Amino acid sequence: MHGHKRGVWCVQFSPVDQCLASGSSDGTVKIWAISDLTCVKTFEGHDSSVLNVIFLSRGMQLMTSASDGLLKLWTIKSNECVKTLDEHSEKVWALASNRQGDMLVTGAGDSSILLWKDVTESELEEVREKQEDTILKEQELANLLQQKKYLKAIGLAITLEQPFRVLSVIKEVLSEPLGKEHLQKTIECFRLDQIDAILRFAVHWNSNSKHCHIAQCVLSIILKMYSPEELTQMPNIKSALEGLLPYTERHFQRMNRLLQQSTFADYTWKCMKLGDRFRNHPVGVPLDVLEEPTTLTSEQPAESVPQTEQSAFASYKPTRRTEDSAEELANRIVHAVKRKQLKEVRELQVSDEATPCTQKQSVR
């Protein structure tokens, strides 16, 4: 059988299959079929000579030892190294297992003999227990939320290390009447380590513009509750502040831009209302005449109306402007209001009298 590039240090027959495993100085382990003497598997991962190899788990796994003191556990089916053990500091010359394959003994050049035990089943059992415990806590958390016991719910979510579950609980608290006061009373009952955990969670919330207002609300309550000396005692306060400051500045800049835009929109709306007033104002009629018109009664003849008002109403001609002329007039009125020149606005009313007619002629 040819396949290794350097000398072969060890050979081991499989307890269940007609094959054998060999370890070489080239750092590889090969499995050979006895029937036709061909190489069916090659395992690469050691950086030095492979000194020992044995079969484990009823021929489903391999354990190898090398001259650099490392032991590696291989899965034959997937051709992968699933575990590397680093306890010896010198060459591992001896490697043996019991019949069950759950105990190993190794001897190395560092004058140490180590006994190894397979803890795969116990680790799987621990993982299974953790999963069951998590499921029970999730159910308990849902029950607490249904009963509106927010203090216990937030504490349990912090224990489970679920920042977005804590966020959803805080949102429910704030959605209720007097929610901020209830949230403040809830946070006041937390321990210092729980406050530190909430600050860590707030860093993640603050990085998203959808949740930043919740993070800022929680941060405001915490900063008002504790003094700077108490905050410095928290183990993660430095990293929390480093994560909060950049995004907080960015959110405040965005809010300032929105405030400026809303102010400009409000100003534009008021100017548009003023433009509607001037657009509906009769041409040639002074503003003071329109604001305080003279009403005729049966006891007051038409001759009693002042001459100025008669002449003003006599020249009244209603006009219907197109949308383009109304927009143009509104823009000109906005500039006139900014300069506070009401006289110029009145002149614009008179000068725009012929504008719609020229536009209609051009359309025709």
Side-chain angles (χ1 to χ4, degrees):
M1 297 183 290
H2 299 279
H4 287 294
K5 298 178 181 179
R6 306 180 87 177
V8 177
W9 279 95
C10 56
V11 174
Q12 178 73 31
F13 284 90
S14 171
V16 292
D17 295 323
Q18 294 184 356
C19 63
L20 60 89
S22 61
S24 172
S25 298
D26 58 6
T28 62
V29 178
K30 292 181 180 292
I31 295 180
W32 307 84
I34 298 178
S35 58
D36 53 2
L37 303 179
T38 57
C39 178
V40 294
K41 289 277 186 180
T42 300
F43 303 90
E44 296 180 355
H46 282 289
D47 296 328
S48 56
S49 301
V50 179
L51 302 179
N52 292 282
V53 58
I54 58 173
F55 284 90
L56 295 176
S57 304
R58 298 179 181 179
M60 300 298 294
Q61 290 180 314
L62 286 175
M63 178 65 78
T64 59
S65 65
S67 58
D68 55 1
L70 296 179
L71 291 97
K72 289 183 178 290
L73 180 64
W74 308 83
T75 299
I76 296 177
K77 185 177 181 180
S78 61
N79 229 41
E80 294 179 354
C81 175
V82 295
K83 192 74 174 179
T84 299
L85 307 175
D86 184 10
E87 291 294 335
H88 290 288
S89 58
E90 295 291 337
K91 298 178 181 180
V92 182
W93 291 106
L95 174 64
S97 67
N98 60 354
R99 292 184 178 180
Q100 291 78 16
D102 57 350
M103 298 285 289
L104 292 175
V105 178
T106 58
D110 55 2
S111 303
S112 63
I113 297 176
L114 298 181
L115 182 64
W116 306 83
K117 183 179 180 180
D118 186 8
V119 294
T120 304
E121 293 184 0
S122 61
E123 288 181 352
L124 291 175
E125 185 65 26
E126 288 179 3
V127 172
R128 195 178 302 112
E129 289 177 358
K130 287 182 179 179
Q131 290 177 349
E132 292 177 356
D133 186 55
T134 302
I135 293 172
L136 292 175
K137 287 182 177 179
E138 290 280 351
Q139 183 61 45
E140 183 182 357
L141 181 59
N143 296 336
L144 291 173
L145 289 176
Q146 189 176 6
Q147 298 169 6
K148 296 185 177 181
K149 295 181 179 179
Y150 297 119
L151 177 60
K152 293 183 179 180
I154 295 177
L156 185 58
I158 291 173
T159 305
L160 294 173
E161 284 291 328
Q162 296 181 353
F164 288 98
R165 180 59 67 90
V166 178
L167 177 66
S168 62
V169 176
I170 293 177
K171 281 184 177 180
E172 284 200 29
V173 176
L174 292 176
S175 63
E176 294 186 348
L178 303 175
K180 192 170 183 180
E181 296 180 3
H182 293 164
L183 179 62
Q184 184 173 354
K185 293 178 181 178
T186 303
I187 293 178
E188 287 175 354
C189 301
F190 287 154
R191 301 187 306 270
L192 203 61
D193 59 329
Q194 292 176 324
I195 296 295
D196 184 62
I198 290 179
L199 282 176
R200 285 191 292 107
F201 296 163
V203 175
H204 296 286
W205 307 337
N206 199 48
S207 61
N208 193 333
S209 59
K210 294 181 180 179
H211 313 310
C212 65
H213 57 287
I214 304 292
Q216 293 297 323
C217 180
V218 172
L219 185 62
S220 173
I221 293 174
I222 293 175
L223 292 179
K224 290 177 181 178
M225 282 174 50
Y226 294 94
S227 63
E229 291 77 13
E230 292 175 332
L231 291 173
T232 52
Q233 296 177 2
M234 298 180 184
N236 299 313
I237 187 64
K238 184 178 179 180
S239 59
L241 290 177
E242 290 175 354
L244 285 169
L245 284 176
Y247 285 100
T248 301
E249 292 177 358
R250 189 179 303 176
H251 295 321
F252 272 109
Q253 291 174 1
R254 180 169 54 87
M255 293 299 296
N256 286 333
R257 289 194 300 268
L258 289 174
L259 182 61
Q260 293 175 1
Q261 293 173 2
S262 63
T263 305
F264 179 75
D266 185 55
Y267 173 75
T268 306
W269 170 249
K270 290 181 179 179
C271 292
M272 290 174 63
K273 291 176 67 176
L274 184 61
D276 292 338
R277 176 185 172 191
F278 283 117
R279 185 172 58 210
N280 297 327
H281 175 59
V283 178
V285 180
L287 287 175
D288 52 355
V289 174
L290 185 62
E291 290 175 356
E292 297 178 2
T294 304
T295 57
L296 297 178
T297 61
S298 58
E299 299 178 357
Q300 183 180 10
E303 291 77 12
S304 63
V305 180
Q307 186 64 27
T308 56
E309 293 185 13
Q310 288 184 11
S311 59
F313 282 101
S315 61
Y316 170 72
K317 293 181 181 179
T319 57
R320 296 180 62 85
R321 295 176 173 81
T322 60
E323 293 298 328
D324 294 337
S325 63
E327 252 184 15
E328 182 182 357
L329 179 60
N331 291 331
R332 296 169 70 180
I333 289 173
V334 168
H335 292 295
V337 171
K338 286 182 179 179
R339 295 190 300 267
K340 298 182 180 180
Q341 296 179 354
L342 187 57
K343 183 178 178 180
E344 185 178 351
V345 177
R346 295 176 181 176
E347 291 177 359
L348 288 173
Q349 294 292 324
V350 178
S351 63
D352 288 341
E353 181 179 2
T355 303
C357 299
T358 56
Q359 288 183 355
K360 289 180 180 178
Q361 289 176 2
S362 62
V363 172
R364 291 177 182 176

